[in-house]
Amino acid sequence: MSPESILPLRSAALVRHNTTLLLREPGPVLSRLLMPLVAVLVFTPLDRAALAAEGRASGTVQAVTGVLVLFSMLALSVAGSGILTERFWHTWDRLRSTPARSTELLAGKVIPALVVLLVQQALVLLLGVTVLGMPADHCGLLAIAVATWSVTLLCVGAALGTLLRSQAEFSAVQDISSFLFTSLGGALVPLADLPGWAQRIAPASPAYWAMSALHAALAGQLGQLARAEGVLLGLAVLAGALAAWRMNRGWGRSQLI
């Protein structure tokens, strides 16, 4: 058996191991799945009333997609914390001494987190469509938008996990950036209602492109969807490359608190 044929087997073993670690402490995962459902039920009537009073489109789409983007950004800790824990335990050197490549180690960490993100977003969208009446006539496009956004988040989370030095530092960066980017990206408040300066810098926020991709997918607008997908995939490639470079470079005890 050639080394190339062993790669999928090593990745699968790492995925099983990291899935077991997630399932041993299911509390964080369950909170990531349940909290956005409650938030959607709370925000949808508010957005409906606010947008209806201004004669604008249904607030259901704004509420569902905004909550989805916000809580998916908060869930990127599932991938980043897993890497940071290995660093804190000083077990990365042991993993790196195995035949597994850095890309395999990275895949072993992020694939279980990818499943969590996809389930989270699927539940939010399912609730929006079946209970709140959100139109979803282009399910294939919506699946592409969700998958791309999830991969982008995982790559960013992995990069943060290789750069930051402690769980407290990771939590601070994640919380601040999540609310900052979702606010500027039009997830918490419709983009048209933001101040002029915020609208001008909104494209610098990943959440802006996630909202753009989701709205384009729901409306069947292929051109807008392709543009947003291109930006998100570019960010994913850069963040993934940074994470892989950091893992290849290694780190010592002095880099951790």
Side-chain angles (χ1 to χ4, degrees):
M1 184 178 293
S2 66
E4 290 77 11
S5 63
I6 301 176
L7 297 181
L9 299 178
R10 291 201 294 255
S11 295
L14 291 168
V15 168
R16 286 194 301 270
H17 169 70
N18 289 294
T19 301
T20 300
L21 293 178
L22 281 178
L23 294 178
R24 282 180 179 176
E25 295 185 7
V29 173
L30 290 176
S31 69
R32 298 294 187 272
L33 298 179
L34 298 178
M35 287 173 60
L37 302 181
V38 176
V40 165
L41 295 175
V42 171
F43 284 115
T44 296
L46 300 176
D47 284 333
R48 279 176 175 171
L51 295 183
E54 299 175 11
R56 286 194 272 165
S58 171
T60 304
V61 171
Q62 173 64 32
V64 172
T65 56
V67 167
L68 184 151
V69 170
L70 170 61
F71 281 90
S72 59
M73 290 196 72
L74 292 173
L76 65 83
S77 62
V78 177
S81 294
I83 294 175
L84 194 55
T85 297
E86 297 279 2
R87 293 177 59 195
F88 186 77
W89 289 345
H90 304 292
T91 53
W92 264 124
D93 287 339
R94 187 185 307 169
L95 289 174
R96 291 176 68 243
S97 66
T98 67
R101 299 175 181 176
S102 59
T103 52
E104 293 177 275
L105 298 178
L106 193 58
K109 281 294 180 186
V110 302
I111 288 178
L114 175 62
V115 173
V116 173
L117 271 175
L118 292 176
V119 170
Q120 179 202 58
Q121 295 178 74
L123 289 175
V124 172
L125 293 172
L126 184 63
L127 179 65
V129 172
T130 60
V131 176
L132 302 174
M134 184 182 74
D137 300 326
H138 306 279
C139 294
L141 298 181
L142 191 57
I144 292 173
V146 167
T148 303
W149 175 235
S150 298
V151 170
T152 302
L153 286 175
L154 290 176
C155 291
V156 172
L160 290 176
T162 63
L163 291 171
L164 302 178
R165 300 175 298 169
S166 69
Q167 293 286 359
E169 192 173 293
F170 188 97
S171 296
V173 170
Q174 177 197 16
D175 292 344
I176 294 172
S177 62
S178 294
F179 281 98
L180 176 62
F181 287 142
T182 51
S183 298
L184 292 177
L188 298 183
V189 178
L191 194 63
D193 293 334
L194 293 176
W197 64 266
Q199 294 183 32
R200 288 190 291 272
I201 66 173
S205 166
Y208 170 89
W209 297 104
M211 292 290 290
S212 179
L214 291 169
H215 287 185
L218 288 168
Q221 299 172 342
L222 293 178
Q224 182 180 340
L225 176 62
R227 182 186 179 203
E229 294 286 284
V231 174
L232 292 175
L233 287 175
L235 176 59
V237 169
L238 290 175
L242 175 61
W245 174 76
R246 282 284 293 169
M247 292 170 68
N248 279 327
R249 179 173 176 265
W251 39 72
R253 291 176 179 266
S254 60
Q255 292 177 273
L256 293 172
I257 295 177

